[in-house]
Amino acid sequence: MNVYQSERLAIRVFEANDKKALERIWGDEEVMGLCSGATDHEKFPRIIEYYARCHDEKGLSVYAVVEKASGKLVGTAGFNVEDTLDKVELIYHFAKGCWGKGYASEAARACLEVVKANEGVFCVYASADPANKSSLRILEKIGFEFKGLKWFDDTNQEEPYYEMYIRD
C-alpha cells in the first residue's frame, strides 16, 4: 500500500517479502555503521510486522522506499513513533548503491508531507551521528532547525539534534 509518491520514489507500508531487501539496508554494517549497527537478519520478519501494525494503528510508521523506475526497494524512511503522536522521530536509511542520488532528501521531504496530514503530530525531531555530514546537511536542507547536541543512549554518544514544528 503506497502512502505517498514523489517524483522518483514510492513510500509504502512494508510487506513480508521485503526481508531480502532489508538485509542490504538495515543488515549492512557499512550502511548502519553510523547508527546503532547492523540488525540481525532473523529479526526482519518481526520488524516488518511491527512497522506495518504501527501504520495500521497510528497512521504513521517507518516505510519501504521504492524506486519507481525499477520497482526495487532502495531504502527506508519514516517515523519512529512512541506512545503518543505529539512528537515523532524522522529516520531514513538507504542501500549503499543508492547513496549520492538524492533519494534520502526526496524521501525525507515525502515523509514530511505524510506527517503533515496526521493531525496528531506537532513536532518531528531527528538526529545523526556527528560524522554523518550528509544526513546533517539533509536535515538542514529540508527545513529542520538545529537545537544543539543531545545524548542518545542507543548510540552512546552526543549527536546534533534537530526539530521541526508541524503545527502549534
Side-chain angles (χ1 to χ4, degrees):
M1 173 176 72
N2 282 347
V3 175
Y4 192 87
Q5 290 194 47
S6 62
E7 181 181 339
R8 301 178 295 163
L9 304 172
I11 311 296
R12 68 162 171 77
V13 175
F14 283 111
E15 301 168 353
N17 62 356
D18 290 334
K19 181 185 179 298
K20 211 57 166 159
L22 289 176
E23 291 175 5
R24 294 187 335 270
I25 303 164
W26 288 334
D28 184 312
E29 193 59 53
E30 188 173 359
V31 171
M32 299 304 293
L34 294 178
C35 298
S36 53
T39 301
D40 292 333
H41 295 188
E42 300 80 40
K43 294 182 180 180
F44 290 137
R46 286 193 319 271
I47 292 169
I48 289 168
E49 285 178 26
Y50 171 79
Y51 283 132
R53 188 173 57 252
C54 186
H55 174 78
D56 289 343
E57 293 173 0
K58 299 187 179 188
L60 287 177
S61 189
V62 174
Y63 299 107
V65 179
V66 177
E67 182 183 55
K68 288 166 44 173
S70 69
K72 290 183 180 179
L73 193 156
V74 295
T76 65
F79 305 96
N80 279 325
V81 179
E82 298 295 327
D83 296 331
T84 175
L85 285 174
D86 291 348
K87 192 173 188 177
V88 296
E89 178 188 23
L90 174 69
I91 67 167
Y92 43 84
H93 304 103
F94 284 82
K96 187 177 176 197
C98 297
W99 293 355
K101 296 182 178 185
Y103 287 164
S105 296
E106 188 172 335
R109 280 190 184 102
C111 287
L112 290 176
E113 292 303 315
V114 171
V115 82
K116 287 175 185 175
N118 188 310
E119 294 181 10
V121 178
F122 293 90
C123 179
V124 178
Y125 70 94
S127 66
D129 188 290
N132 193 341
K133 303 296 185 203
S134 295
S135 275
L136 298 174
R137 275 193 302 275
I138 288 167
L139 294 173
E140 291 171 3
K141 181 168 55 172
I142 64 173
F144 276 79
E145 182 181 342
F146 176 69
K147 295 294 190 176
L149 295 175
K150 184 175 178 180
W151 181 263
F152 287 87
D153 289 333
D154 60 336
T155 57
N156 202 32
Q157 68 180 355
E158 272 191 330
E159 297 180 357
Y161 176 80
Y162 294 80
E163 289 183 345
M164 176 185 287
Y165 285 87
I166 303 302
R167 56 187 54 81
D168 296 328

